[in-house]
Amino acid sequence: MNEKSKKSHSRYRKSPNDFAKTVIVFIAVNKPACNLVHKLEADMPIGIRDIEIDKSQNTLTPIDSESLVFGSYIANITCEKRGIEVPAYYGSNRVSFRYGAGVLNDEKPPFSTGKNTFITGYDETYFMSLKYVQKGDKFVITTSDKTINYKVIDTFIGENNDSATEKYNDNLILKSIFSDFGENSANRLYVICEKTSEEVNAK
């Protein structure tokens, strides 16, 4: 290596101090940006990847509990005649559907008086037997503090978020998602259930 090449090479060699200065400048410049990102993340709605189902849960989470979060195990759905026994989790999303059924979250808590409660599941898994349900069949919903009895008053196949459900009020509406490869892939099976009785569970 000639003298000129040596000088050129040494000109671009950085000392450890130079590297440390670069890191400090990078952190100083990016700290406000990091803070902004964290603030935006805190304000954004929870994403699917953030929801976890704790399969070790064997106690139902109270619906009015401060510990209620997406993925909380909040109810059991039973229809003895059709062999349906499904755990229900808070939040209607594919994470809940993977482990049972998902209870739609909205302004009022699920199973409140004066509102419909929507519970959705996959036709190929936990709601597989829902297609065999008929008018008059009985469903039981068990939560942490009460047992609610329902009777099926209607079933139909309709679009997702079908407007036909709007004529009902204070009902349990079970919704089954068909396989993408079936003839009803774009539709949903709706089972409308009317409350017949409710009792508080002894603690």
Side-chain angles (χ1 to χ4, degrees), residues 58-185:
N58 50 22
T59 304
L60 292 164
T61 302
I63 293 168
D64 56 356
S65 168
E66 291 182 0
S67 61
L68 181 67
V69 295
F70 285 104
S72 293
Y73 171 41
I74 62 170
N76 285 312
I77 309 164
T78 306
C79 177
E80 189 174 343
K81 185 174 183 179
R82 304 301 172 185
I84 297 171
E85 190 170 352
V86 179
Y89 299 92
Y90 187 64
S92 185
N93 52 67
R94 64 176 180 267
V95 180
S96 297
F97 305 159
R98 193 178 303 141
Y99 297 100
V103 182
L104 182 66
N105 57 295
D106 52 20
E107 308 83 41
K108 286 186 177 182
F111 315 110
S112 297
T113 301
K115 70 178 285 291
N116 289 323
T117 296
F118 288 84
I119 303 181
T120 305
Y122 287 137
D123 172 70
E124 292 186 318
T125 55
Y126 289 92
F127 271 1
M128 184 181 293
S129 296
L130 203 62
K131 64 175 73 71
Y132 304 116
V133 168
Q134 298 178 3
K135 289 182 182 180
D137 285 356
K138 296 176 182 178
F139 276 85
V140 178
I141 299 290
T142 307
T143 69
S144 66
D145 62 347
K146 58 188 175 183
T147 298
I148 314 169
N149 295 294
Y150 292 92
K151 181 178 68 174
V152 177
I153 60 172
D154 195 11
T155 65
F156 64 90
I157 293 175
E159 298 176 351
N160 188 28
N161 301 320
D162 201 292
S163 59
T165 61
E166 295 174 5
K167 68 180 181 180
Y168 298 100
N169 187 38
D170 201 16
N171 292 102
L172 170 66
I173 300 180
L174 304 174
K175 184 166 68 169
S176 182
I177 301 174
F178 291 112
S179 165
D180 289 337
F181 305 104
E183 60 179 340
N184 289 307
S185 58

Side-chain angles (χ1 to χ4, degrees), residues 14 17-28:
K14 290 192 174 183
N17 287 339
D18 292 332
F19 179 74
K21 288 176 185 175
T22 302
V23 171
I24 291 169
V25 169
F26 178 81
I27 292 172

